[in-house]
Amino acid sequence: QVQLVESGGGLVQPGGSLRLSCAASGSIFTIYGMGWYRQAPGKQRELVAGFTSAGSTKYADSVKGRFTISRDNAKNMVYLQMNSLKPEDTAVYYCQMVVTVKGGFGGTDYWGQGTQVTVSL
């Protein structure tokens, strides 16, 4: 019903930058929340940055001051600008949105397939 397509991942040197993009398409009525998660090898998936339905933002302590989440509501897109990247940022990054589909009730979590971000020399 809803698909999330991510782009922007890749290999980058420490100190470099990447911008991840995520576009939602399908039978969307409303989007209540948008966020980015990541999962590094051997670690649990964690929230990196997100929007609440009220428009406030939250960030993991490890990325504050370096990452910025933004969105384009008209395009159903969310972005993650990642600056000053560190090797420990290496992970698969997942786009997540809480969506009410057309004709549906309540919000349902939708996830992208994940995009690999590798920070290495």
Side-chain angles (χ1 to χ4, degrees):
Q1 299 183 63
V2 176
Q3 291 186 332
L4 274 52
V5 180
E6 301 156 332
S7 62
L11 176 65
V12 66
Q13 303 297 316
S17 298
L18 286 173
R19 190 172 88 141
L20 306 183
S21 300
C22 177
S25 61
S27 301
I28 299 170
F29 181 67
T30 55
I31 300 176
Y32 293 98
M34 299 176 171
W36 290 94
Y37 290 73
R38 69 185 181 188
Q39 188 166 24
K43 297 183 179 180
Q44 291 184 290
R45 186 174 298 186
E46 65 172 340
L47 175 68
V48 178
F51 280 104
T52 69
S53 59
S56 62
T57 58
K58 62 172 65 176
Y59 295 93
D61 288 340
S62 59
V63 308
K64 286 181 179 178
R66 299 188 298 119
F67 290 11
T68 303
I69 188 170
S70 60
R71 64 184 178 183
D72 186 334
N73 291 334
K75 297 180 179 179
N76 292 331
M77 295 191 69
V78 63
Y79 309 90
L80 184 67
Q81 179 67 45
M82 304 185 294
N83 298 327
S84 301
L85 283 161
K86 304 174 180 179
E88 51 262 45
D89 295 318
T90 296
V92 177
Y93 284 70
Y94 297 90
C95 174
Q96 178 263 354
M97 297 189 189
V98 182
V99 177
T100 296
V101 300
K102 293 179 180 177
F105 298 92
T108 301
D109 287 345
Y110 288 90
W111 296 84
Q113 291 297 305
T115 184
Q116 178 70 48
V117 172
T118 302
V119 185
S120 177
L121 294 171

